[in-house]
Amino acid sequence: MKAKFKILLVFLFVFATQACKGPDSNTTANPVSATIAEGVVAIGSPLPFVSVVVTDAKGVEVTGETDAEGRYKIVEPSGSQMLAPFKVMVNSLLGETVVNLYSFALDKGVTANVTPLSTALMALLNASSDYNAATLNLSSISQTKVSEASAKLAAALAPVLSAANVSALTFNPVSTPFAANHEGLDAILDRVSVDISVSGIRLNNKFAILNEDQTTSAPIILTDTKQEGSWSEGATSLSSESIKNFTRKLKKCFAVPAASRVQYTFNPGISYGLNPSSGNVYTPDTLHADCSALTATGYKSQGKVFGQAWLHLLSNPDIDETTEFGLNSQHVEDKSGMTPVWPGDKKAYVTTISLQGKSKFSYTMFETLIRNGDVISLYGNQRKFDIQVNTQFSKFDNYLNANDSVDVRIRVGLDPTLIPNASGYGVYKTTANGSKPLPQILCAWITGPLLQKNEKHDPKNPMGGILMAPPHSELTARRDYAAIKIKYPEDFDPMNNPIHRAVLWNDCKSSNSIGSKSEVSTLVTNNQFTLDAVKTKTDSTATFPEFSPTSLNRGTDCTVVNVPGNCFPTRREYFMNNELEKAVILQSNGEPRNLMYTAYLFVDASYSESSSGTAYASFGNADSFFSSAEKLNIRLLGVMPSLSKKTQEGVVVFADGVKFPNADLGVFDAYLKTGAKTIAKGSSIDINWYCNTESIPLTKVTPHASPVAGIVINGYFRDQNNNRIGEAAYQDTLRITNETLIKQCPSSKTKGVKFFLAEDWYGYDPKDYQAGKFSQSPYNATSAYREIVLQTYDSKGGRIQSAYGGAQ
């Protein structure tokens, strides 16, 4: 087992009140200790208050923390003799994205910056091991090799270095001292995105100008033997002064007490119980002037005004005058042809804004900025609807059976209750008495890479895809999301084929009846489309049949090979293979901006609970219906996932590549065991997970800042067809803060939290619960299901979750 030490960070600078003591005043407790490494941790903006782990040649670890400006300095623990070279690692959860960065120091007391460029340099030095920065053997690395690799990076980035006034002759992303102030080396980080794969290092210009339908900019591909491509000029970077001025505005807004920043009301139509992630509704014209100053006139994001879009941050007392902010550019889109006219320089600067509150919990907002001269402002993506597409890895362990598996999915998040008014701003629709959300987007046709049969997608001529609709209310207690209804053949083309257009119209109008209740709906409750799946162990009983919709006929026979699209609509007709992986993942450059999805949303503003079985009645034909669609192009959030496989004992199984958080076995025994009873609303339950696996700290087993970022619990009764029963279906989410996770290991092998139930968590007792109410008509529950899900995120914002469930 590796020896480990935990020491306090020695900051490079102290507060002004301590200036007379000198910059090394914090080290007096160990005045003779040698400095191991120091530098800056940054991705363009600094990463404040994140852990920095230094490992020496013997495997001894020392851990420190960055200061507010991303600076760190780690000294040798008293009485130890650490041995060079040293590997430096940062794994940090930045909102819903995990940042994995690496660096090194060949000797004691040298600068070792930790950035995407230092990670790229290490990857280049480890070309023989699939460019894996994490596994670089530093004992074989000389200063000459470092200089040669630095020179290759400098040559690839020559125009960027020149613009940042950084000499290519002395450029070294590891040892060149810098400050995270958007100047010099930091200005290069502002402009360059780094993506590393087995084929090499891809360098992209974040300020290359994309148009609405464009899904990629040409990258530079750098290997140990060659460079392909050249730097594209693109738009001018946001200036250091403009970023500093905007950051001052952010600080001024959040220095206002949370209670005075914004007013809001509790809305039962969009609330989520005792563990809310959102759910409140902004009260118009209550935004504090210092916060209004952040936006340009006409701000709109996902159909929301600024007060609603940022409500979860504006109302959060954890974000205050101590909060640190960072801006990281993602890409730039040309908006010169937009109607209405796009303000400023007619470009959209898509940016992530990171915030770290006083509890050290981080938040991230994807935002769109505009630029007027040297002034930048929030403008939003100007979308009228709340929709996004992201990726997810999911591992399922069935506590009561043996069908354990791992799969990768595309998740389409659409809120069908947020409907734009005449001004294009969304209004949450609720039932007549205001008690439940009311969907008025009763169908949405979504298509894009791998939602068709293959990877190809033309946003101007979309084909294939899936149809989404709100689930039937007897399957879920809340109709506030869209689930998958139908999977179309790859040649489905309602744009150009009138027969297909009529099919789409009829599919969107079709209703489903459960008992006496008819609703325009889907009988599926899943908004995740499975791309690939594999067993996790050789004795798993999981099966993955292929179901290909070869025609538009509708039927119920799902036992044959050629099946209708409403059979198993949430699964690809055949799973990923090497060809598709190469075409979609490797050739697409592995960046979120490189994969585009297209959505056609159909609104029926007259839809109501009183006539829930009828929708789109005002349209006389399929042509008028299709022309009413709101078309949106949506860039994928998160890298397109790939599932590694291997053959073991003649069985194809999961070959690692993605690490999942693991629950403590005691969780199963307490909550998933045979005969588990319903637990009452308001009760607390203990969810524990492993911090240690085979005596290896989990931070080393997984490339994540924390093993758990959130917990989801599910419970529901089911009828004889395994349909969920709406009034007896419960789901709740608890997001885990960094403050909870900071001291996880190695003091204990497990970590956990208390989860307070917002509603009854249903057990395997439909015949006993509420005197058997749900086992009787009209529900007729025959079985039950219960599940615990542990969530975290990958380095590009995709979800990674472990699901533990059982049914009886």
Side-chain angles (χ1 to χ4, degrees), residues 483-527:
I484 297 171
K485 184 174 184 177
I486 292 171
K487 174 176 64 181
Y488 290 115
E490 64 171 330
D491 60 352
F492 183 65
D493 185 10
M495 275 192 67
N496 302 301
N497 188 317
I499 296 176
H500 293 185
R501 200 175 309 134
V503 167
L504 179 65
W505 184 38
N506 288 322
D507 287 341
C508 284
K509 293 189 297 180
S510 65
S511 62
N512 293 293
S513 296
I514 299 180
S516 61
K517 194 162 190 177
S518 175
E519 288 177 342
V520 176
S521 62
T522 172
L523 296 181
V524 175
T525 58
N526 186 4
N527 66 351

Side-chain angles (χ1 to χ4, degrees), residues 328-340:
N328 295 289
S329 298
Q330 300 299 308
H331 65 270
V332 179
E333 293 182 12
D334 178 20
K335 299 292 186 178
S336 58
M338 292 288 291
T339 302

